[in-house]
Structure formats: structure tokens, C-alpha cells
Amino acid sequence: MILRAAPALVLSLMALPVAAGLLGTIGPALRPGALEALLAWPGLARAIALSLVTGLSSTVLALAVVVLILATLSESRAFTALRRLLSPLLALPHAAAALGLAFLIAPSGWIARALSPWATGWSVPPDALILNDPFGLSLTLGLVAKEIPFLLLMALAALPQTGAPARQVLAASLGYGRASGFVFAVLPALYPLLRLPCLAVLAYGMTSVEMGMILGPGLPPPLSVQVALWSAQADLATRPLAAAGALVQLGLVAAAMGLWLLAERAVIRLLRRATMAGLRARALDAPLAALALTLGAGLGGALALGLAGLALWSFAGSWTFPDLLPQTLTFTIWQRAGMGLTATTLTTLALALASAVVALALVLALLEAEARQGRRLSLPAQAILWLPLLVPQIALLPGLQALALQLGAGGAAAVFAGHLVFVLPYVFLSLSAPFRAIDPRLATLAASLGAGPDRRFWHLRLPLLLRPALTALAVGLAVSVGQYLPTLLLGGGRVTTLTTEAVALSSGGNRRLIGAYALLQMLLPTLGFALAILVPALAFRHRKAMQR
Amino acid sequence: MSALPSYDCLGRVFLRIPRRPGAQTPRVQPSASENTLQIQRRHLLGAFAAAAALPALPRAARSSETWEALLARASGQTVWWHAWGGDPKINDFIAWLGTQAQARFGITLNHVKLSSTAEAVAAVLAERDAGRVTGGSVDLVWINGENFAAMRAENLLFGPFAESLPNWPLVDTVGKPATVTDFTLPTLGYESPWAMAQLVFEYDSARVAAPPANMAALRDWIIANPARFTYPQPPDYLGTTFLKQVLYTTIAEQALLQAPVDPADYDRLVAPLWDWIASVTPALWRGGRAYPASETALGQLLADGEVDIAFAFNPGRASAEIAAGALAGTVRTFTPSGGTIGNASFLAIPFNASAREGAQVIADLILSPEVQARAQDPAILGFQTVLDLVRLRPEDRARFTALDLGVATLSPDALGPALLEPHASWTTELARDWQARYGTSP
């Protein structure tokens, strides 16, 4: 049967490009002199420290805010409002999020403009190092704000598998407060489902280039940014240096993950002790709820305001400091953007749909095969799936490109395959935890009623998974829409998507253009996420227990 | 086929001018300043001048035949032009050029918008390494400097082709030596120039009454006005250009810049440069603890009022930005006495290009006076032409003289001499040195 071969098929599908990509990095990195050149770079220690500190702290903070929101606000009206604010932000491209934030907090930015000159007395912007600060605080803030929507969505997709309401009721009946009840009763069931998304966020935070370039320090930049800068140099002799940097980056991400898993154990031990102490902590509920609302709304609001600022820039004529609003409005940017947009949008949509749907089908087949064989993927096998998330993309791509050229593949087919490599891990990430968390007794029950394996899949698991599957599809869409380098390199520049247009145009840092393209880039993924919310709501309108 | 027959006619007339850059008409002597030269030529030029410059050469006729054959092969081809896509004005210009190529030659021109030219270099390199010696993905690439040097060093370029282009004789290879010398590397016909660029400083006249007259005065101004000046972070090309500009005015023997860096002498030669930089660094924007990433980022700082003096590699940028409403109407430009660094933008064809013929036709089309004049129009691009106006027919010359410079653009006389780009090794070495001194500790 085909299904039995699914894991092998998916793994070989992933292993070949990943191996080719890694070989493309390891080969040049081991060339004589490459590692020495990297070690001789005086900024190495600081770049490594920046990478580690911003990556780890942003992941911890984002997770903390998400847990806080879920623990204190769920079911409340504030929660619904917060979710409505945060969900569309998931579709916001990282570069646009960073530029929006930068415009908000820069000394010549929107906040300073709102207060100038009447409150501050500034007629020219002050010389303050807010952006690109040497400790990476702005970068951490940006990463936290951008990753909260992703983690929240992952948590909301996983939560129904944990029986959270029953656990909360039980905890409350024992006198626990909302927050402590959530942390002691729900979190132990929820966190295992959130572990992989957390690790993905950690890897992303450490390898992201756009956010680091815009918000992060430059003297030196975080390692990932420096690797990207080396790779972009015309001097072909720096390629081995870039490859060595990428290899160190890979080790760094692995080390950070190890650190994360160690910290996890320490936290579990701490929580266990707190549980045994029987802390009810009901007095904390109100202040924690206020804190959750402030942080969630503050960070989400900052992103939304930044986006609004960029949107306004896309219509702005002249707009100088300290004016709060543009002096003149113009449509020239949008008229320019409008040319040839239909074809580009269709290409983007077709690529995104194809790669996300295929990835979803493959992941479902993989997980279903797992369930039928009662055997999970081995750790090395899982590692192959995760590698595209962990290795800096810039390091994986030269190898992938060489593979595509050797296979004679080019154009749209190669781009589709490349997207699949980066989309599939995210789809797997979004779907594997909810899939594996389905109560196995349901299947046993169905079998005892005479339902065969196929029927159990189509009529039991798939409907149960409708919401997480659609969410995974939407995440896949968003990931595909966001791919820049794979599209450019594998397509030989002949496949144009909204993102290749947007990145090329914004490589100059022109706020007006970035504003326009950020809105356009958001459009397709937003549709995906809207469907992931609407379809289950419609399908389950007569099934109350499935509606949350 | 040809919508504008004057083009063909033009090509034939000017084909008879000697093709070798050294063999110029005797009346036009090279001069230190290309601008005074241009003025001189304009006066010299009578109606007879074009006719006088036409010594017939049988070789030219031969190449004309092959050009006809090449045009026939190019018709119906699709040319994929890899060019930086960060400026909508340039993108619009390339799109317009595509309509012309289609109408006149039946060539479809597609612009592959890059965020960095190195992406195209990497693509061709990867194709070569994978053994794809024909049917490559890049047909034409906008290139200069280190990227050209890298592609030449790896034998990744097709050529020589530039000097066989029908419009080549119009190129001002003497008055604008940068059209045949790319960062001191002779182009040898492996790339064809299409635009001139020169460093100009931009200042807000509402806040700076009198701009500094020379680089030493700029240093004093920076120190007297803390936090109102900065430069893009090397190895960004504009940031490195600024270092080279300072180096030009601080180095004892400018001629040494035309040779590769001599490691034995390097420290002594650049010591005054690093003194200059060290003296201004505490007074830079953010105290030198952060730098803008690129030319656009620096321009945004000027627009946001975070700095009072900025600079760009395009004399027409400020006017174009003012016209677009993106820069205050009070911004003006200046160049310090002694000149500023100038270079040319080129088109090159990779060795494995799929549409080699079409790519050459595009490279020639962009050299036609009509296209060059359009590129020089500040409302379109504001790029200076690579052509020698003296050699144009009067009606073509009129296209250039009729152009309005724009409110902030210096006239060719006021622009000052263009300094030759130093050897590419200076760029690499200065960028590396800067990163070691300032790039790794805040």
C-alpha cells in the first residue's frame, strides 16, 4: 500500500535537497583557510553572543506573553479582541514588520513626531540610539512582537486536544486562581504540543536576516546577518568564509536548542515544586490579566501601528519631521505597483497553493502512516524534516541550486520543489502535535463499530483535524508567499512573485514602496487564515463542542 | 520592422567612425576636465563636424553586415536582464526600454529585479559549476566594479562585443575614460557602458547656509555640527566610496590609487585617511555607534531631518526626489573642490546566455541618443550620458541640451571633475580595514 511508503517517500523527498544543501555549505566551509578566516574576524564573539541572546530572550518572552494571555484572558471579551488584533499580524512579512516598528520607534519616527515639537521641543529629531542599539533590544522587541501571533495560533490550534476546560474547572473547584490553575493543570498538557513551535521560533529568531538588518545592531551585526552580508559580496573568495559562518550558525542553533531543552527541565522541576506547595495565587489573577492585556495589546498594537504607518507612507507625498501626517497625498506608488500585478499575484498564489496543498497531503500521509503502524518517526528522521528550519537559508541554497541545475530542473518546477522543502517542515510543525494528540481510544471505538482504517481517517481523524489542518495550510501558504531567495535562485530569476518584487524594491529601504508591498504581501496569507477560521466555524456550526 | 527608421540610418552613419577607442578625431584632445571639454566641443561643433568625422573603413561595413544578420537572429528572442530592482524609476525605465525593444526589434525584454548584483554573479557561477554552458538563465546583467572583476576573473563573460556595437563610436571614451576602464580594469569590450555616475553631496539649504567648499572644510563642519552627518556602513558601496573620496584628498600621491594596493606601503598611505575618519567619528550621527545600511537609508535620514548633509552616486537624485515629493524642496547639491569619484554603469553578457544576440541589441539600443537622453532626463532617471555630444547629429544633441536639469542638480561646469575609481583592491582593502577598526565594537 502507498501509505506504508509515505514516511520513506517524504523523508527521501526532504533528505535529498537537504543533503545537497548541506554539502554545498560544508564543502566550502572546510576548505583550508575558511575557518581560520572566520576565527580571525574580530566581531565573531560578539556576533555569536548577540545571536544567542536575542534568539533565546525573544523566544522566552514571546512564550511567556502567550502563556500569560491564555492563562488569564481566555474566554474573555478582551481575549477575542486580542485574537482579532493578532491573527492577521501573522501574515505580516518580517521585513515589513521590522520596518513598521522602526518607523514607530526611531527618533524621527511616529511616536517622536506625535510628541514634537509641543511636548519635546524637538524641531529636528534627537540623536538617540534607539534603533540598532548595541545590545539588540530593538531586535528582541521586534522578534517578540512578530512571534507572539505565531505561537498564539499554534497554542490555539493545540488547545482543544488538551481538554483544557475540564482541567480549568477542576483546578478552579480546588480553589486555584485562573492563572495558577492554567499553569499547573493545563500547561503540562499544552507545552509538549508547543515545544516544536518554540524551537522553530528560536531557530528563526537566530537565523532571521531581515529583522536583524533593520532593527539589530551593526557593529557587529548578529551572526546570521553577517553571514548574509558575506554571501552577498561580489568577491567570490568570501564564499568559503560565508559557508564557515553558516556552519557555525548551524552549531549555534543546535546549542541554543540544547540549552532550551535543559532550561525546560529546570522549569519543570520548579513548577513541580510550586505545584506541591499548592500555590493558589488567586490574588495574582487580576494584575496578571492586566499585564497580559498590556503586553499583548501593546506589542500587537505596535506592529499594527507600524503597519498603518507604512500604509500611510505608501500614499505620502512630502512627509518630513515633525509632521504627524503627510503634507500631501499621492497615488503614484500604487499606480506603479498596479502594473503587471495580476500575473505576479497569480504566480504567487499558484505556487503557494501548490506547495501548501502538496505539503499538507504529504504530512497527513506521513502522520496517518505513523498512526497505523503505531510507530513514531525516529529522531534522526525527524531531524531531516527540521533541518530546513535550522540551517540559515542562505547556506542551504547554493547547494540546492547546484542540485536543481544538475537535475536539469529550472523555472517553476524547481521553485515549487524549493518551496516545498521550506513549507513542509512548517506544515508538519503545525499539524503533528494536534494529530498525535487525538485520543487513540476514539479510533479503537470506531474500529469496534466496524470502521476500517480508511474510514477512520476520512470520517474521524480528518474532520477532527479540520481546524489544525486548515491552519497548517494557511501557515504553509504564508511561508511559501514569504520565500525570496529560493524563488530567485531556483527560478533563475524567471519566476516573479510578490515577494521577489517586494524584496528587490525594498532593498533600497524606500518606506513608500515597502508600505505598498507589505499590504500586498499580507493579502494572500490573510485570506488563508481567514478561511482557517471561517470554514471550521461553518462546518461545525451544529457541533457545539467543536466550536472552540 | 523598425518603428523608427532614423535609428537604422543613425547606425549606418556612425558606423564609419573608427571603432578603436584610441583612434579619435584629431581635433578633439583629451582634457583633464570632461566638462570644459564638452563645452569646448559644443562651440567647435558646426554643421560640418559630423561629416568631417567620417573616414570610411571597410571593416565597419563588414561589421554592419554581421550586425544585420545578428538583428535577424535576435528578432523573437526573449532577453532576461538581471538588474538591481530597488529603484522604481529605474524599473520604469527598463520597462519602457522593453517596449522599444519589442517595437523596433521584436525582442522581449524581461527585467529580473535583484536586491544585489552579486545574486546574478552567483547564479552564473553556479550554472558554470553545474556544467550548464549554454541556455543559461542570465542574458544580460547590469554590472560594474568588483562584480565585473569577479566575473572576468572566473571567465564568466561573453565577449568582446561592446566595440562592435553600431552605436559604440558615439561613446565618449576619451572625455569619460570610465566608459572603458572599470575600477582601473580595462573593459576590453566585455561590457558596454550605459550610464555615468558621480558622487555629489546633498544638503538642506534651510539648515546649512553655505556648504563646505572642500573635504577639509567638510571635516570642520562635521565637528562643528555634531550628529548631523554620517555615511553608509562599509562594505556598502557608497560607504566605501566615501572612504575613497576622503582617501583621494588625503593621500600624497593620487596616482598610486590606480595601481593595486601595495601591502608594504598601505599603512603609510592610508594613515591620513584614518586620522580624518577618527577626528569626525565622535561627531557623526549616533556618535558613530550606528550607521545607515545603504544609499537609500542615508537618503531617508536626510528626508527625515536626522542629518543635514548626505551624498549619493547620482547627481540627479536630489532633484528627482524633490520632484517626487520625497525630499524637502530646500535640498541642494554640491561637490567639494578637487572633484569627486565618478564611474560608469555597464551591461555584460554571461558566457552561457541563452539570447546572446538579443542582449547585444539591447546593449546597443541603450546607447542610442534617444534612449540616453531619456535616461538623462531628471524626471525619468537623471543618469548622465556616456555619449560624446559632439559626435551626435544636431537634432540628437538638441535632445540633451533641451533637458531641464532640475532644481537641485549642478550644471556640468559646476559638477567639477570626475575622479577615476581606484583599483578594485583599494575598495576591498578599505572596507576590510574599516570593519576591523569600526565594524566590530560599538
Side-chain angles (χ1 to χ4, degrees):
Chain A
M1 200 178 128
I2 294 172
L3 201 60
R4 200 164 298 156
L9 175 73
V10 174
L11 285 177
S12 50
L13 251 179
M14 297 296 284
L16 184 65
V18 169
L22 275 180
L23 280 180
T25 300
I26 293 173
L30 295 183
R31 257 177 234 167
L35 219 61
E36 285 88 336
L38 180 69
L39 292 175
W41 180 55
L44 185 64
R46 219 187 145 84
I48 286 180
L50 268 170
S51 238
L52 270 178
V53 170
T54 53
L56 281 169
S57 58
S58 63
T59 313
V60 169
L61 287 172
L63 179 65
V65 173
V66 167
V67 168
L68 209 55
I69 290 172
L70 290 172
T72 61
L73 297 176
S74 53
E75 308 269 310
S76 72
R77 211 173 284 168
F79 182 73
T80 317
L82 205 56
R83 206 175 75 179
R84 288 209 179 118
L85 170 70
L86 292 174
S87 304
L89 292 176
L90 187 56
L92 185 63
H94 279 82
L99 277 155
L101 270 182
F103 170 57
L104 200 63
I105 63 178
S108 58
W110 232 2
I111 294 174
R113 285 168 195 244
L115 301 174
S116 299
W118 59 275
T120 58
W122 296 329
S123 58
V124 292
D127 186 35
L129 191 61
I130 300 175
L131 284 178
N132 318 113
D133 62 287
F135 300 106
L137 298 178
S138 304
L139 175 58
T140 308
L141 174 82
L143 285 170
V144 172
K146 185 67 190 80
E147 298 305 354
I148 285 175
F150 175 71
L151 280 181
L152 190 65
L153 186 82
M154 291 290 126
L156 288 176
L159 214 48
Q161 313 293 333
T162 61
R167 288 163 184 263
Q168 283 275 41
V169 169
L170 185 67
S173 72
L174 292 171
Y176 285 86
R178 278 180 75 97
S180 62
F182 183 88
V183 169
F184 294 141
V186 182
L187 197 57
L190 177 66
Y191 179 74
L193 307 182
L194 270 186
R195 181 182 288 125
L196 278 177
C198 280
L199 292 179
V201 165
L202 178 61
Y204 190 89
M206 293 180 66
T207 56
S208 113
V209 173
E210 301 105 316
M211 286 205 118
M213 264 183 188
I214 296 158
L215 297 172
L219 309 171
L223 189 60
S224 56
V225 176
Q226 187 62 50
V227 171
L229 289 176
W230 280 328
S231 314
Q233 263 172 40
D235 186 4
L236 300 173
T238 53
R239 295 283 147 90
L241 177 63
L247 205 59
V248 169
Q249 175 86 61
L250 176 63
L252 208 57
V253 172
M257 292 191 165
L259 217 59
W260 181 268
L261 296 178
L262 280 179
E264 209 175 71
R265 287 195 187 169
V267 171
I268 288 171
R269 209 163 296 147
L270 262 174
L271 279 182
R272 216 173 266 158
R273 204 164 296 165
T275 316
M276 299 308 284
L279 283 175
R280 261 57 170 181
R282 291 167 73 166
L284 282 181
D285 279 357
L288 282 181
L291 182 67
L293 194 60
T294 317
L295 285 176
L299 289 167
L303 276 191
L305 262 181
L307 183 65
L310 287 185
L312 198 52
W313 268 108
S314 70
F315 292 103
S318 178
W319 192 6
T320 52
F321 190 87
D323 293 329
L324 188 59
L325 296 172
Q327 287 99 331
T328 53
L329 293 178
T330 153
F331 288 95
T332 44
I333 292 285
W334 283 97
Q335 279 162 0
R336 278 203 171 112
M339 293 188 298
L341 203 62
T342 330
T344 309
T345 309
L346 285 178
T347 312
T348 314
L349 185 65
L351 265 175
L353 269 180
S355 54
V357 167
V358 170
L360 182 65
L362 287 173
V363 167
L364 278 172
L366 179 77
L367 290 167
E368 178 66 14
E370 252 190 9
R372 290 192 192 180
Q373 289 161 11
R375 186 156 48 94
R376 288 222 176 157
L377 280 181
S378 65
L379 254 170
Q382 294 218 22
I384 291 175
L385 283 184
W386 302 131
L387 273 173
L389 298 188
L390 310 187
V391 190
Q393 232 187 28
I394 194 103
L396 211 48
L397 281 165
L400 269 184
Q401 193 187 9
L403 176 74
L405 285 168
Q406 252 135 32
L407 293 179
V415 174
F416 160 75
H419 279 214
L420 192 59
V421 169
F422 294 104
V423 166
L424 196 135
Y426 274 102
V427 173
F428 186 71
L429 177 75
S430 312
L431 199 55
S432 60
F435 193 105
R436 288 167 179 168
I438 292 178
D439 192 336
R441 289 172 302 180
L442 283 173
T444 314
L445 190 66
S448 74
L449 291 172
D454 288 346
R455 207 164 149 217
R456 291 203 296 272
F457 175 72
W458 291 108
H459 293 272
L460 186 67
R461 286 201 188 95
L462 210 51
L464 276 173
L465 286 170
L466 185 61
R467 190 193 310 270
L470 285 174
T471 305
L473 192 70
V475 170
L477 279 178
V479 171
S480 165
V481 168
Q483 297 299 318
Y484 171 63
L485 281 174
T487 316
L488 183 77
L489 291 182
L490 297 173
R494 300 191 174 188
V495 179
T496 311
T497 66
L498 284 176
T499 298
T500 59
E501 289 279 299
V503 175
L505 278 167
S506 61
S507 61
N510 181 329
R511 277 188 202 136
R512 292 172 174 82
L513 279 169
I514 290 160
Y517 273 89
L519 292 181
L520 286 173
Q521 268 184 291
M522 265 186 82
L523 212 63
L524 294 180
T526 305
L527 280 177
F529 287 111
L531 285 180
I533 293 169
L534 279 178
V535 171
L538 273 175
F540 299 141
R541 66 192 181 282
H542 300 309
R543 288 170 170 77
K544 192 156 193 292
M546 293 295 291
Q547 278 172 15
R548 52 150 305 152
Chain B
M1 178 188 77
S2 173
L4 290 170
S6 69
Y7 181 80
D8 274 338
C9 167
L10 231 183
R12 282 197 197 110
V13 167
F14 285 97
L15 261 171
R16 298 196 189 162
I17 296 176
R19 284 189 296 125
R20 269 168 301 119
Q24 296 301 327
T25 53
R27 284 183 301 101
V28 182
Q29 294 301 322
S31 145
S33 158
E34 60 174 73
N35 308 298
T36 52
L37 188 64
Q38 272 177 17
I39 298 299
Q40 229 176 317
R41 284 174 182 169
R42 212 166 283 158
H43 290 306
L44 268 174
L45 206 111
F48 66 93
L54 298 172
L57 279 181
R59 210 152 47 101
R62 252 206 328 273
S63 90
S64 158
E65 278 173 42
T66 57
W67 184 253
E68 295 299 328
L70 186 135
L71 277 181
R73 282 202 301 276
S75 180
Q77 285 187 337
T78 299
V79 174
W80 296 85
W81 180 5
H82 287 233
W84 182 66
D87 187 336
K89 292 198 299 288
I90 299 172
N91 299 347
D92 290 353
F93 174 76
I94 293 176
W96 172 83
L97 195 68
T99 63
Q100 300 301 307
Q102 183 63 257
R104 298 186 195 184
F105 306 109
I107 295 170
T108 307
L109 179 64
N110 283 319
H111 179 191
V112 177
K113 300 189 181 93
L114 305 176
S115 64
S116 154
T117 303
E119 288 163 1
V121 181
V124 178
L125 188 70
E127 288 177 355
R128 198 226 19 213
D129 289 348
R132 188 180 281 194
V133 291
T134 54
S137 62
V138 186
D139 292 317
L140 194 62
V141 56
W142 173 9
I143 199 167
N144 78 357
E146 311 107 277
N147 287 306
F148 175 68
M151 289 193 88
R152 279 289 283 152
E154 296 280 334
N155 265 323
L156 295 176
L157 291 179
F158 159 76
F161 72 93
E163 293 171 15
S164 320
L165 299 176
N167 279 318
W168 175 260
L170 304 183
V171 176
D172 188 2
T173 53
V174 175
K176 298 166 184 171
T179 52
V180 285
T181 311
D182 191 356
F183 284 52
T184 74
L185 192 63
T187 60
L188 302 176
Y190 280 87
E191 54 178 359
S192 171
W194 72 278
M196 298 299 299
Q198 192 174 343
L199 186 71
V200 292
F201 287 79
E202 303 165 345
Y203 70 104
D204 191 341
S205 62
R207 290 196 288 267
V208 181
N214 51 44
M215 292 302 284
L218 177 64
R219 165 158 75 171
D220 299 339
W221 184 91
I222 296 170
I223 294 168
N225 298 275
R228 307 303 298 167
F229 181 87
T230 188
Y231 53 92
Q233 180 169 341
D236 171 78
Y237 86 97
L238 189 65
T240 317
T241 301
F242 179 73
L243 297 180
K244 287 185 273 185
Q245 175 70 28
V246 178
L247 182 61
Y248 248 114
T249 58
T250 53
I251 197 166
E253 303 130 278
Q254 290 188 353
L256 289 176
L257 295 178
Q258 295 303 309
V261 172
D262 175 8
D265 224 11
Y266 174 78
D267 284 332
R268 181 182 68 80
L269 293 175
V270 296
L273 160 70
W274 297 125
D275 289 344
W276 198 104
I277 296 290
S279 66
V280 301
T281 298
L284 290 179
W285 178 80
R286 305 285 183 263
R289 289 188 298 149
Y291 292 84
S294 62
E295 176 167 343
T296 329
L298 180 63
Q300 188 67 54
L301 290 181
L302 184 69
D304 283 344
E306 295 218 17
V307 298
D308 289 336
I309 296 182
F311 49 93
F313 224 125
N314 174 359
R317 191 198 87 97
S319 292
E321 293 293 303
I322 292 170
L327 210 50
T330 49
V331 169
R332 296 291 178 269
T333 59
F334 72 95
T335 49
S337 64
T340 53
I341 290 184
N343 65 26
S345 287
F346 294 88
L347 293 179
I349 304 173
F351 76 104
N352 63 352
S354 313
R356 193 178 274 178
E357 295 80 17
Q360 290 178 72
V361 174
I362 300 292
D364 186 58
L365 173 63
I366 208 168
L367 284 177
S368 69
E370 184 200 350
V371 175
Q372 286 284 305
R374 186 180 173 90
Q376 188 161 327
D377 185 347
I380 306 285
L381 276 189
F383 284 7
Q384 308 300 304
T385 183
V386 295
L387 303 185
D388 181 354
L389 296 189
V390 179
R391 301 188 200 172
L392 304 189
R393 296 187 307 178
E395 61 265 39
D396 282 328
R397 201 172 321 117
R399 294 178 193 274
F400 290 88
T401 46
L403 289 177
D404 178 19
L405 279 176
V407 60
T409 311
L410 299 171
S411 69
D413 321 307
L415 195 54
L419 302 172
L420 278 179
E421 280 282 358
H423 186 269
S425 60
W426 285 96
T427 310
T428 319
E429 202 53 26
L430 287 178
R432 186 202 57 75
D433 202 354
W434 186 93
Q435 282 170 294
R437 286 164 193 268
Y438 296 100
T440 53
S441 60

